[in-house]
């Protein structure tokens, strides 16, 4: 869900360190909002988590390597769905938004 939010609302170009920092900040913000965290996030080394997610995003064609990091290739007009990675991004970003509204009304979580 968080990596989908990052792709949907974050920068067009980023580094692995920037994604790891986003995971750190998001984790802290979710704890502040008293949201229950997935153990994979709660106990994660955010640098390792970012590297893992970057490999998946690259394999699925959602990002591409640049000289200084990564370029976001996710098509902004993707509808939500299950059968294509671009649609998963929209689906998970929407789901995160729904969860935040129900768990912490008025809360924002953006890179």
């Amino acid at each position: 869900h968080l990596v989908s939010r990052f792709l949907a609302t974050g920068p067009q170009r980023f580094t692995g360190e920037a994604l790891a920092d986003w995971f750190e900040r998001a984790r802290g913000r979710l704890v502040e909002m008293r949201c229950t965290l997935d153990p994979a996030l709660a106990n994660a080394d955010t640098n390792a988590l970012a590297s893992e997610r970057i490999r998946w995003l690259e394999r699925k064609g959602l990002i591409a390597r640049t000289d200084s990091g990564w370029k976001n290739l996710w098509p902004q007009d993707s509808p939500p769905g299950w059968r294509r990675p671009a649609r998963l991004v929209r689906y998970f970003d929407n789901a995160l938004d729904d969860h935040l509204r129900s768990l912490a009304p008025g809360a924002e979580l953006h890179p």
Side-chain angles (χ1 to χ4, degrees):
H1 288 81
L2 292 177
V3 77
S4 292
R5 176 59 49 98
F6 186 86
L7 287 180
T9 65
Q12 240 350 81
R13 295 182 183 273
F14 62 95
T15 63
E17 293 82 18
L19 181 57
D21 289 346
W22 156 240
F23 284 140
E24 264 313 313
R25 288 190 315 275
R27 178 171 50 193
R29 182 72 176 116
L30 290 167
V31 168
E32 285 173 15
M33 292 186 292
R34 300 178 189 258
C35 293
T36 302
L37 299 182
D38 180 321
L41 177 62
N43 303 317
D45 169 340
T46 53
N47 289 311
L49 183 61
S51 293
E52 176 185 297
R53 296 303 187 259
I54 283 172
R55 285 191 302 273
W56 186 87
L57 293 167
E58 183 180 31
R59 272 194 324 272
K60 298 302 179 181
L62 295 170
I63 62 173
R65 188 176 296 279
T66 68
D67 290 340
S68 59
W70 300 96
K71 180 179 180 184
N72 182 348
L73 300 176
W74 177 69
Q76 295 282 322
D77 61 349
S78 296
W82 285 103
R83 297 189 187 260
R84 300 190 195 290
R87 291 181 173 207
L88 284 170
V89 169
R90 177 62 71 201
Y91 178 86
F92 286 127
D93 182 54
N94 287 347
L96 177 61
D97 201 47
D98 291 343
H99 293 313
L100 288 175
R101 270 192 249 151
S102 67
L103 297 171
E108 294 287 325
L109 189 61
H110 296 283

